[in-house]
Amino acid sequence: MADLRTNLAGIKSPNPFWLASAPPTNSGYQIMKAFDAGWGGAVWKTLGVPVVNVSSRYGSVNYRDKRMVGFNNIELITDRPLRDNLREISEVKKRFPDNAVIASLMVETREEWHNIIRDVENAGADGIELNFGCPHGMCERGMGSAVGQEPKVLQTIVEWVKEVAKVPVITKLTPNISDITRPARAARAGGSDAISLINTIQSIVGVDIDQFVPYPIVDGKSTNGGYCGPAVKPIALNMVKNCAQHPEVNLPISGIGGVENWRDAVEFILLGATTVQVCTAVMHFGFGIIREILPGIERYMDEKGFKTIEDFRGKALPNIKHWEDLNLKYKVTASINESKCIGCQLCYTACEDGAHQAIALSTDPANRIPSIIDENCVGCNLCSLVCPVEDCITMERRDDAKQHLTWGERTAAGNIPKGFNDELAGGLHHWVPEPMEALAKKKPRHYKG
Amino acid sequence: MAEYKRPTSEQEFAKNFSPKKPLMSDTEAYYESSRCLYCYDAPCINACPTGIDIPTFIRQINNDNKDGAAKTIYESNWFGHACGNVCPTEELCEGACVYNNSDVKPIEIGRLQAHATDKVIRSKKRLFITGKPTGKKVAVIGAGPAGVSCACELRMLGHDVDIYEAKAKPSGLCVYGVAPYKLTNEEALDEMTYLQEQFGFNVHYNKPVTGRADLDRLEKEYDAIFIGIGLGGTSKLGVPGEDKRGVIGALEFVEELRNKHQSTLVGSKVIVLGGGNTAMDAASESCRMGAESVIIAYRRGPEEMGAYSFEFDLAKKSGSKALFNVTPVEVMGNGSVTGVKFIRNKTAYGKIEAIPGSEFVEECDMVLLGTGQGKQVELLEQISGVKLDQKGRILDNRGRIVVNEHYQTSNPKYFAAGDAVNGGVEVVNAAAEAKKAAHGIDGFLKK
Ligand SMILES: Cc1cc2nc3c(=O)[nH]c(=O)nc-3n(C[C@H](O)[C@H](O)[C@H](O)COP(=O)(O)OP(=O)(O)OC[C@H]3O[C@@H](n4cnc5c(N)ncnc54)[C@H](O)[C@@H]3O)c2cc1C
Ligand SMILES: Cc1cc2nc3c(=O)[nH]c(=O)nc-3n(C[C@H](O)[C@H](O)[C@H](O)COP(=O)(O)O)c2cc1C
Ligand code: SF4
Ligand code: SF4
Ligand code: SF4
């Protein structure tokens, strides 16, 4: 049976699923409820300098009938009094001693940092998370992402924190930076025990096209917010991987960004995260989603024979290479499973208009099953991605699996194209139709013109 | 048996005849439109006789452009709203939807179509601008789907149009024939008002074109004439006793029902003769009117019925029973009908043969004849040069039933489409053909 217990730089929790510092961790009431439901840890809504919030605060990206595939907010850190939060931290710890309670903090001066760290440690927090990530409201006051974007400043503050902190310190990173490993390395240099990432991405989720104001709207005006939810997961995964692979970072990672189900969590762990944090999914569906997450990851681990999280943590990292180290001799082409095909011809139009004109339609209009033109197929995957039927288009290996040649090896051998019309370039040998053929092509009867 | 109580008020009638395809709410339309795959050269389009660009209008609904959706629909089909409700979509667009191939429920195209068009009809928003006036005038006989569609298209092409309609309301069988659970009078007429206000054709109601004198006048006053008169009344059965009280044509029954609702008289034991869609409708409707027993009697077996299987299913679900392989030989009764005498058949090599001595009487107090509609031969015969075949179908100048793309008859000034030409299919066929006929007329007028 899978053992889900985790230890992130000394912070122990019964499972790797933590609530991220956000509205779901605004109060002891919510965190008790979450622990009761099965969550392993919670990063308390950021405590710190006093703030005032606006209304409204959130915006959303909906994709067709799917709501909140992306989510943004212009909310600040907690607006509740520090003393109430401290009292509730001790109450939660007393009732749930085995669950991890991490205090997220954001203050300005060295003295403020020292004081607040003592306060939360006295209240019983198992760890501290430094919020250097908030991309709105706080950065204008020289905190949040304003710190996260300046590795030097970040390092200094981590050092202040480490002067007094007795519990492990996690530095939370902002993604609003071109190289995430720079602040990660600064955190390590400052003595941070772990990092967590990502915080939200600066964003405008949409514009009200009648009022001419972006969302969310505050009295006819708006401001950029922080983007999160399922849509940011790919960005978060990449940044987690960058930190996990960088030899000078070498810190335990708590992965954040778009985690909603067990599979998302497994992906973060495979890229090196020890725990994951969840915000948007809980804001959308409530604490109850843990009922799907826990059995999901347990089943996965049992099936794979993983006893602990450590057994598969970072397991995908060795398979992530630089582009120049990929095998240029590997060849796949698309293959359509005719018995599954429903005849929507989305693959045809995608390849025809958006890729390589490598899919043909039958000349018999009654037969709607397309066919792959093997010699034109470059193996890009597009058709298999647009196909609405599971496993209907598969990518089949066509090379003999004996050859291996990378761009790096070709470069070393001096065997790469040099001029713009060089014989050695890839596209030169790839067939494309003549431009005028586009106009001669038969169109569906309802197309105009 | 009666699952339905005999309706005594407008509310009870509305309950018994509640819509088969109720209007979608915005939320339902949003979710349903989200499912559409946006197929390439979509099979649903190719299955629609009017070729509506279905994936485009569904995408327009999904992207909150319902006016645009309605415009896409109307550009192909001037009876867009009626068709969304009354089309046999199971056999047409929805039957062709690729989702059927993966055992997923097809997109509810008809209801989405009705949703989008309902919005513009209610908002009275103008979507089309009529063509530059050509100074030509066209007379249209009949304000049914064929006539009105032809009129709209002719107005788009800039020709003036006068419609002569025998009855007091437009839309033909949409108000006089189609089952009330598919389309209400209000819905049908609102679309007509919407179209008429937008296209500005004139309709002269209660003005049947009956004889040579009328035709002479039209020929003198108009540059072309379109025949959209549909079919005639219910054909005779041809058995003794069919003039008894209580024997009514299914078509005439439906017409009364559409106009008198719960005041329509319906027997308590009804026999419906026939196996077509009209017979199925009449049976479903009799059940909904609270008849105690409704029996559909058909000469052949169930698989040979002309009706769509979903219409037969609906009739059964409404409470009708069916008798197969029986031929009516006499309507019994003394003044009023009391029953029908049938003889049983067997079918040998596609032919029905009566089984001697197998006669029996099925009691009833009402007989509905779903025996098909006759052609309006008397009128058509008076048009000089218009040739008909033995079945009363209109021929073109090469002796073919009018099916060419111009829908021109053997008298070049006369064009025809809809039931009068195709022998009775669906509203959508009339709309598709009449649109083409309008272009035929346009070509003729430009010569
Ligand atoms: C009972 C029944 C149920 C049906 N249900 C459906 C259904 O569910 N779905 C579907 O798609 N189709 C249905 N149909 C078929 C559909 O109604 C017809 O195919 C369609 O209405 C044909 O249109 P049309 O314009 O050719 O003829 P009609 O609708 O018959 O219109 C002809 C018009 O011409 C007028 N007219 C006739 N003679 C003259 C004259 N001499 N002078 C002036 N005006 C004249 C008539 O009053 C009428 O208004 C049904 C038909 C029937 C009979
Ligand atoms: C397969 C692929 C290749 C791309 N190649 C280029 C490129 O060569 N040059 C470029 O400026 N952007 C390139 N882009 C980025 C797009 O132009 C665009 O900025 C990005 O996809 C975001 O827009 P979207 O959300 O509409 O996809 C590429 C995008 C894709 C999906
Ligand atoms: S893999 Fe790419 S190139 Fe090959 S058929 Fe599919 S879309 Fe076309
Ligand atoms: S996308 Fe898939 S289902 Fe659609 S036609 Fe292509 S192979 Fe068939
Ligand atoms: S066939 Fe179905 S899924 Fe495809 S475009 Fe038509 S309605 Fe949409």
Side-chain angles (χ1 to χ4, degrees):
Chain A
M1 188 58 191
D3 179 356
L4 294 181
R5 282 177 300 173
T6 53
N7 182 340
L8 182 105
I11 304 171
K12 296 195 180 113
S13 61
N15 64 50
F17 303 103
W18 294 3
L19 296 170
S21 175
T25 59
N26 204 37
S27 64
Y29 167 83
Q30 288 161 291
I31 294 176
M32 286 248 196
K33 212 172 159 192
F35 287 169
D36 188 42
W39 291 83
V43 186
W44 211 276
K45 172 78 186 165
T46 304
L47 311 173
V49 294
V51 300
V52 180
N53 272 309
V54 293
S55 75
S56 56
R57 304 174 192 179
Y58 304 144
S60 155
V61 172
N62 301 336
Y63 184 73
R64 301 228 189 149
D65 54 345
K66 294 291 168 281
R67 306 209 139 246
M68 271 170 68
V69 295
F71 183 60
N72 108 335
N73 79 88
I74 55 170
E75 212 167 68
L76 306 181
I77 64 177
T78 191
D79 48 14
R80 301 181 59 221
L82 181 61
R83 97 173 153 262
D84 294 355
N85 282 303
L86 294 173
R87 177 173 48 77
E88 292 173 15
I89 289 175
S90 18
E91 243 181 89
V92 171
K93 268 317 287 184
K94 216 172 283 156
R95 175 66 184 75
F96 290 96
D98 297 331
N99 293 59
V101 173
I102 293 100
S104 170
L105 307 176
M106 183 195 287
V107 286
E108 266 185 284
T109 65
R110 182 174 174 205
E111 190 188 349
E112 281 170 349
W113 278 107
H114 287 180
N115 289 339
I116 202 162
I117 287 166
R118 287 193 197 101
D119 285 345
V120 298
E121 284 183 349
N122 289 338
D126 300 299
I128 292 164
E129 187 178 79
L130 312 180
N131 180 353
F132 296 151
C134 186
H136 49 261
M138 305 312 294
C139 42
E140 290 87 336
R141 290 163 64 177
M143 288 172 278
S145 65
V147 177
Q149 287 164 337
E150 291 298 335
K152 278 226 171 68
V153 183
L154 181 147
Q155 182 177 336
T156 307
I157 296 179
V158 176
E159 283 164 3
W160 294 345
V161 168
K162 288 300 287 183
E163 286 165 6
V164 296
K166 295 195 209 72
V167 295
V169 174
I170 308 169
T171 302
K172 184 167 182 178
L173 304 180
T174 174
N176 297 307
I177 187 161
S178 50
D179 178 3
I180 193 72
T181 67
R182 288 183 62 225
R185 280 177 279 160
R188 180 175 174 86
S192 186
D193 300 288
I195 50 176
S196 58
L197 67 163
I198 58 174
N199 207 313
T200 57
I201 305 170
Q202 268 192 354
S203 64
I204 284 178
V205 282
V207 180
D208 183 316
I209 61 169
D210 300 312
Q211 297 187 63
F212 316 117
V213 193
Y215 303 110
I217 298 172
V218 182
D219 193 16
K221 301 282 180 276
S222 189
T223 186
N224 67 272
Y227 197 43
C228 53
V232 311
K233 190 183 81 174
I235 296 164
L237 287 174
N238 184 53
M239 290 188 163
V240 165
K241 170 274 270 175
N242 286 344
C243 291
Q245 279 190 331
H246 202 290
E248 287 163 40
V249 175
N250 198 21
L251 285 174
I253 297 171
S254 184
I256 318 167
V259 178
E260 180 168 305
N261 56 44
W262 68 268
R263 179 186 289 272
D264 299 327
V266 167
E267 289 172 359
F268 272 93
I269 295 167
L270 288 171
L271 293 178
T274 302
T275 66
V276 293
Q277 301 185 23
V278 180
C279 165
T280 306
V282 164
M283 292 183 74
H284 194 167
F285 303 110
F287 298 125
I289 59 169
I290 196 72
R291 301 199 309 275
E292 183 273 343
I293 295 176
L294 287 178
I297 196 167
E298 277 165 3
R299 196 224 50 175
Y300 171 79
M301 288 171 65
D302 289 346
E303 226 162 61
K304 298 283 176 205
F306 301 141
K307 300 222 153 24
T308 67
I309 299 290
E310 282 307 304
D311 286 354
F312 65 108
R313 191 174 64 77
K315 212 171 163 58
L317 289 172
N319 293 329
I320 309 170
K321 300 282 191 207
H322 291 296
W323 188 91
E324 60 171 25
D325 297 325
L326 299 178
N327 184 8
L328 297 170
K329 292 288 179 191
Y330 177 73
K331 280 279 165 287
V332 291
T333 60
S335 163
I336 295 176
N337 182 340
E338 295 195 358
S339 66
K340 289 193 172 178
C341 174
I342 62 171
C344 66
Q345 299 185 348
L346 283 172
C347 58
Y348 165 77
T349 200
C351 187
E352 173 70 16
D353 293 358
H356 299 277
Q357 301 81 45
I359 299 185
L361 297 181
S362 164
T363 47
D364 168 13
N367 175 13
R368 295 219 14 124
I369 304 176
S371 57
I372 306 292
I373 308 165
D374 275 343
E375 19 343 337
N376 294 356
C377 175
V378 302
C380 73
N381 267 7
L382 179 63
C383 53
S384 72
L385 300 176
V386 301
C387 178
V389 183
E390 213 48 41
D391 298 327
C392 173
I393 300 185
T394 51
M395 304 305 295
E396 304 294 340
R397 186 159 191 178
R398 304 292 181 207
D399 66 312
D400 56 12
K402 289 192 185 116
Q403 300 179 69
H404 191 276
L405 181 65
T406 67
W407 180 261
E409 288 160 359
R410 278 184 68 168
T411 310
N415 184 28
I416 54 167
K418 296 185 182 74
F420 288 117
N421 303 311
D422 197 323
E423 267 292 311
L424 295 170
L428 205 66
H429 301 289
H430 186 69
W431 171 87
V432 290
E434 288 302 319
M436 288 302 285
E437 282 180 37
L439 308 182
K441 192 118 187 152
K442 193 172 152 262
K443 291 179 205 160
R445 72 161 171 160
H446 58 282
Y447 276 35
K448 295 240 168 65
Chain B
M1 164 208 87
E3 292 174 31
Y4 291 96
K5 245 185 62 205
R6 196 169 286 266
T8 57
S9 64
E10 201 53 56
Q11 285 91 324
E12 285 173 10
F13 180 84
K15 189 167 156 251
N16 286 8
F17 288 84
S18 64
K20 219 181 117 193
K21 295 185 177 176
L23 260 184
M24 274 184 174
S25 68
D26 287 342
T27 309
E28 190 180 5
Y30 183 59
Y31 279 82
E32 187 63 6
S33 60
S34 292
R35 288 205 305 131
C36 173
L37 296 168
Y38 202 70
C39 297
Y40 178 77
D41 194 9
C44 53
I45 304 177
N46 294 317
C48 171
T50 59
I52 296 174
D53 188 348
I54 293 162
T56 296
F57 94 68
I58 293 180
R59 214 172 164 83
Q60 287 171 310
I61 291 176
N62 198 247
N63 289 323
D64 200 21
N65 179 8
K66 293 190 181 163
D67 295 347
K71 193 164 182 200
T72 301
I73 294 161
Y74 279 124
E75 270 168 358
S76 294
N77 181 343
W78 298 119
F79 271 61
H81 187 66
C83 280
N85 285 298
V86 310
C87 270
T89 52
E90 296 87 334
E91 302 290 327
L92 300 173
C93 53
E94 292 174 19
C97 176
V98 297
Y99 273 122
N100 293 299
N101 300 337
S102 56
D103 297 326
V104 175
K105 194 167 75 77
I107 303 290
E108 290 196 59
I109 300 167
R111 291 183 64 213
L112 284 168
Q113 183 172 318
H115 173 82
T117 45
D118 174 70
K119 294 267 170 195
V120 284
I121 292 171
R122 276 170 204 269
S123 72
K124 300 190 165 67
K125 191 169 235 160
R126 199 186 176 91
L127 295 178
F128 294 94
I129 296 167
T130 50
K132 216 168 99 231
T134 59
K136 303 278 186 190
K137 285 170 70 183
V138 181
V140 167
I141 312 177
V148 171
S149 297
C150 186
C152 293
E153 196 70 17
L154 286 169
R155 293 294 298 129
M156 287 299 283
L157 296 164
H159 308 302
D160 278 341
V161 180
D162 286 326
I163 305 184
Y164 294 90
E165 166 56 51
K167 295 193 173 159
K169 291 176 195 155
S171 89
L173 289 171
C174 289
V175 282
Y176 296 113
V178 169
Y181 42 79
K182 291 185 185 165
L183 190 69
T184 64
N185 290 11
E186 218 180 17
E187 286 169 321
L189 297 176
D190 284 352
E191 185 167 47
M192 293 305 102
T193 308
Y194 177 66
L195 293 176
Q196 201 183 348
E197 281 176 0
Q198 199 147 161
F199 291 100
F201 48 79
N202 307 305
V203 192
H204 306 278
Y205 292 109
N206 305 309
K207 284 271 180 312
V209 174
T210 47
R212 202 44 251 173
D214 288 343
L215 292 168
D216 281 340
R217 186 178 66 81
L218 295 184
E219 284 176 27
K220 219 180 292 146
E221 284 179 25
Y222 296 91
D223 300 296
I225 299 163
F226 174 80
I227 308 169
I229 55 175
L231 298 169
T234 303
S235 312
K236 285 265 173 223
L237 183 59
V239 302
E242 74 174 297
D243 50 355
K244 293 203 162 47
R245 237 177 303 127
V247 182
I248 307 169
L251 189 76
E252 289 71 17
F253 166 71
V254 181
E255 177 166 347
E256 191 181 337
L257 182 75
R258 285 295 300 256
N259 290 286
K260 293 207 200 146
H261 285 183
Q262 66 278 4
S263 336
T264 310
L265 290 176
V266 180
S268 56
K269 287 186 166 174
V270 180
I271 291 178
V272 182
L273 300 176
N277 287 320
T278 301
M280 299 307 128
D281 278 8
S284 299
E285 287 155 352
S286 304
C287 294
R288 284 173 167 69
M289 284 299 289
E292 269 167 41
S293 92
V294 176
I295 294 172
I296 298 165
Y298 179 52
R299 290 176 306 153
R300 296 169 182 262
E303 54 296 323
E304 283 169 278
M305 281 199 301
Y308 296 121
S309 58
F310 68 86
E311 295 287 20
F312 180 43
D313 289 345
L314 182 71
K316 282 190 291 187
K317 242 194 265 168
S318 309
S320 328
K321 299 244 166 7
L323 265 178
F324 290 108
N325 300 308
V326 293
T327 303
V329 288
E330 188 184 345
V331 176
M332 321 289 287
N334 194 353
S336 297
V337 57
T338 57
V340 177
K341 183 190 272 179
F342 290 100
I343 187 160
R344 293 190 196 279
N345 299 314
K346 60 176 185 225
T347 313
Y349 306 106
K351 284 220 157 128
I352 350 182
E353 253 174 55
I355 304 170
S358 66
E359 290 91 344
F360 65 99
V361 174
E362 192 68 46
E363 282 182 18
C364 69
D365 54 6
M366 187 180 202
V367 174
L368 294 174
L369 304 175
T371 39
Q373 291 172 262
K375 309 282 184 304
Q376 298 210 51
V377 180
E378 307 78 41
L379 175 66
L380 295 172
E381 274 175 348
Q382 302 201 37
I383 307 172
S384 60
V386 168
K387 296 196 196 81
L388 306 176
D389 70 0
Q390 302 97 306
K391 289 182 172 169
R393 290 179 295 196
I394 303 171
L395 301 177
D396 72 1
N397 55 2
R398 288 157 68 188
R400 298 174 308 192
I401 301 164
V402 179
V403 285
N404 66 358
E405 69 268 40
H406 306 303
Y407 288 85
Q408 193 171 28
T409 69
S410 44
N411 178 337
K413 202 170 184 173
Y414 283 86
F415 291 73
D419 278 4
V421 167
N422 61 35
V425 196
E426 310 292 343
V427 173
V428 67
N429 302 87
E433 292 171 8
K435 193 178 170 89
K436 291 182 193 140
H439 287 272
I441 294 170
D442 185 54
F444 169 74
L445 294 179
K446 279 185 181 147
K447 269 199 189 133

